[in-house]
Amino acid sequence: MAIGGKRKRNNDSDGEDDSSRRRTRTEPEKEVKEPFRPSMIKNKEKRSEVHAKVKHQKKLEKRAKSKAREAAVQRAIELGEELPEKKVPRTIENTREVDETVCKPDDEELFAGNDADEFSSILNRQHNPKILITTCRFNSTRGPAFISELLTVIPNAHYFKRGTYDLKKIVEYANKQDFTSVVVVHTNRREPNALLVIGLPNGPTAHFKLTNLVLRKDIKNHGVPTSHQPELVLNNFTTRLGHRVGRMIQSLFPQNPEFKGRRVVTFHNQRDFIFFRHHRYIFETKEIKKIESKGKKDEDGKSEKVPDHKIIARLQECGPRFTLKLVSLQHGTFDSKGGEYEWVHKPEMDTSRRRFFL
């Protein structure tokens, strides 16, 4: 081969390259078409019209499925067969991450721990709870209003002004006066924003963030609670930590409710937020017009309506209303410097929306 001469082409390889080039030029790439959506229409009137039609069509399909489900249930009842399974909607609660600390009904270790923990003497009715309620050093106008309503919610609770006393001194005083718990209401910018619950004499100490406070006067058609001891309802405290927090809340209230007062105090845990509600239930007699059978008719020939009485129950909220979120749980009484913590919430723990600790 001479220097500077042209390199010979390989006919076979060139033929393949040319054919592939021709193929790419002649055959355009197939684009995946997006499904049609009403939002793709630019005309506003046409878009709203199509959206209404699609919405109506979905409503009809949903209604048809519901009727088919009801017919299947009715058919199964008539034939004496097993009812079809009800569909359970997917929620964040029933798709939560698996937690090894969830309490089981046959957990003997848990029941043994209940008999030996700090709250057993109160929950077994050996001692009556006696609560000391105080504030932080820099109090606000809304703080005392909240405390006055807490005094009506928690029986045998007493309010003491904080003054300049250190919290450890208050805990020592409460121990000498046979108080079973200390509740401290913290305020920030004239708004209560935290609760500190200290169990006596040996702890533990729970720090809660307080939000969404609504006082009794701001609740529409609120009721005025009586002095009867309330019933206590605790919901969804399923883990070991939740069980311990639930028992701590339970130790603030007497264990012999007076049902004549019809008062209910509820702590409902949902996604680690503890919702507090205070209700009284009311029984009312409601008059219902019942149409008599074909035989009895009035002078005009119409069927006669005979009044019928029915007793119904309803709830009346007494207030206050607020939400708690656990920040930390500490061994022993309050000690900000050398205290050991059982559990502390940290931002890096929130790895998923479906991870709960209570």
Side-chain angles (χ1 to χ4, degrees):
M1 178 179 169
I3 297 173
K6 291 184 180 179
R7 186 178 177 182
K8 290 184 179 180
R9 285 186 171 184
N10 190 346
N11 295 330
D12 298 335
S13 61
D14 290 344
E16 290 176 4
D17 292 342
D18 293 340
S19 61
S20 61
R21 284 173 193 155
R22 288 193 210 101
R23 198 181 300 121
T24 53
R25 288 171 187 168
T26 54
E27 294 180 8
E29 294 180 0
K30 293 182 180 178
E31 296 181 357
V32 180
K33 290 186 178 181
E34 293 184 8
F36 173 75
R37 297 189 308 273
S39 59
M40 298 167 69
I41 302 173
K42 294 183 179 180
N43 189 304
K44 185 178 179 181
E45 293 183 3
K46 186 68 177 176
R47 184 171 65 243
S48 59
E49 183 183 342
V50 173
H51 175 71
K53 286 181 181 179
V54 171
K55 192 174 180 181
H56 181 66
Q57 187 63 30
K58 287 182 179 179
K59 189 176 180 181
L60 292 178
E61 291 175 2
K62 187 177 180 181
R63 192 180 298 169
K65 286 181 182 179
S66 173
K67 286 185 178 180
R69 200 180 304 118
E70 289 175 6
V73 171
Q74 191 66 29
R75 197 182 309 112
I77 292 172
E78 291 174 358
L79 298 175
E81 298 175 352
E82 290 186 3
L83 297 177
E85 293 183 2
K86 286 186 177 180
K87 291 185 177 181
V88 180
R90 281 174 58 87
T91 60
I92 291 180
E93 285 81 8
N94 60 23
T95 57
R96 65 182 290 178
E97 288 185 3
V98 178
D99 193 349
E100 296 177 355
T101 63
V102 172
C103 302
K104 297 179 181 177
D106 57 347
D107 193 346
E108 296 179 359
E109 184 182 349
L110 180 67
F111 293 118
N114 289 346
D115 297 333
D117 67 359
E118 302 92 336
F119 320 114
S120 58
S121 60
I122 296 174
L123 302 186
N124 293 334
R125 301 183 184 181
Q126 297 173 6
H127 299 289
N128 288 325
K130 186 180 177 184
I131 315 300
L132 186 150
I133 300 179
T134 187
T135 62
C136 60
R137 287 181 176 175
F138 303 101
N139 199 9
S140 66
T141 54
R142 202 162 150 86
F146 175 51
I147 288 174
S148 65
E149 295 190 8
L150 275 183
L151 292 172
T152 62
V153 171
I154 305 174
N156 203 16
H158 307 272
Y159 170 65
F160 287 82
K161 282 188 177 181
R162 173 71 178 267
T164 57
Y165 290 103
D166 190 29
L167 191 55
K168 289 186 178 180
K169 296 289 183 182
I170 294 174
V171 170
E172 289 177 11
Y173 171 79
N175 267 324
K176 291 177 183 177
Q177 297 296 322
D178 296 328
F179 283 96
T180 58
S181 294
V182 175
V183 177
V184 183
V185 179
H186 285 270
T187 56
N188 184 25
R189 296 180 181 179
R190 300 183 180 180
E191 185 73 20
N193 70 329
L195 276 184
L196 193 68
V197 183
I198 306 171
L200 299 177
N202 301 316
T205 301
H207 179 207
F208 296 96
K209 181 183 176 183
L210 189 147
T211 54
N212 302 331
L213 173 63
V214 181
L215 298 177
R216 183 181 302 144
K217 62 180 180 134
D218 300 322
I219 297 175
K220 190 178 179 180
N221 299 327
H222 65 82
V224 179
T226 59
S227 59
H228 294 84
Q229 294 181 2
E231 304 171 52
L232 184 64
V233 179
L234 298 171
N235 287 336
N236 297 337
F237 293 90
T238 54
T239 63
R240 289 289 185 97
L241 177 65
H243 184 74
R244 187 158 172 75
V245 171
R247 283 177 68 83
M248 187 176 194
I249 294 171
Q250 193 177 357
S251 67
L252 299 175
F253 294 85
Q255 303 306 304
N256 49 346
E258 297 174 346
F259 297 103
K260 288 184 179 179
R262 307 192 305 278
R263 288 180 62 198
V264 184
V265 172
T266 306
F267 289 88
H268 176 76
N269 174 41
Q270 187 170 356
R271 303 181 191 179
D272 287 349
F273 289 94
I274 303 171
F275 298 94
F276 172 86
R277 296 293 183 269
H278 180 204
H279 292 94
R280 62 193 294 262
Y281 47 91
I282 301 171
F283 297 105
E284 293 180 341
T285 304
K286 191 175 181 181
E287 188 175 306
I288 301 172
K289 290 183 179 179
K290 189 178 180 181
I291 300 174
E292 200 61 37
S293 58
K294 297 178 182 178
K296 293 185 180 180
K297 291 185 177 181
D298 56 6
E299 296 176 356
D300 299 335
K302 296 179 181 179
S303 57
E304 187 179 355
K305 292 183 178 180
V306 180
D308 189 16
H309 297 283
K310 183 181 178 182
I311 296 175
I312 61 170
R314 68 179 181 88
L315 290 175
Q316 184 183 32
E317 192 169 357
C318 299
R321 179 197 304 169
F322 56 87
T323 306
L324 299 174
K325 187 172 177 63
L326 183 66
V327 177
S328 65
L329 187 66
Q330 183 182 358
H331 280 294
T333 55
F334 178 76
D335 188 358
S336 58
K337 293 182 179 179
E340 292 185 7
Y341 287 88
E342 295 183 36
W343 184 85
V344 180
H345 179 264
K346 296 178 182 178
E348 55 264 25
M349 297 166 69
D350 299 330
T351 56
S352 171
R353 292 178 63 203
R354 289 174 170 78
R355 189 182 182 193
F356 307 123
F357 302 100
L358 299 183

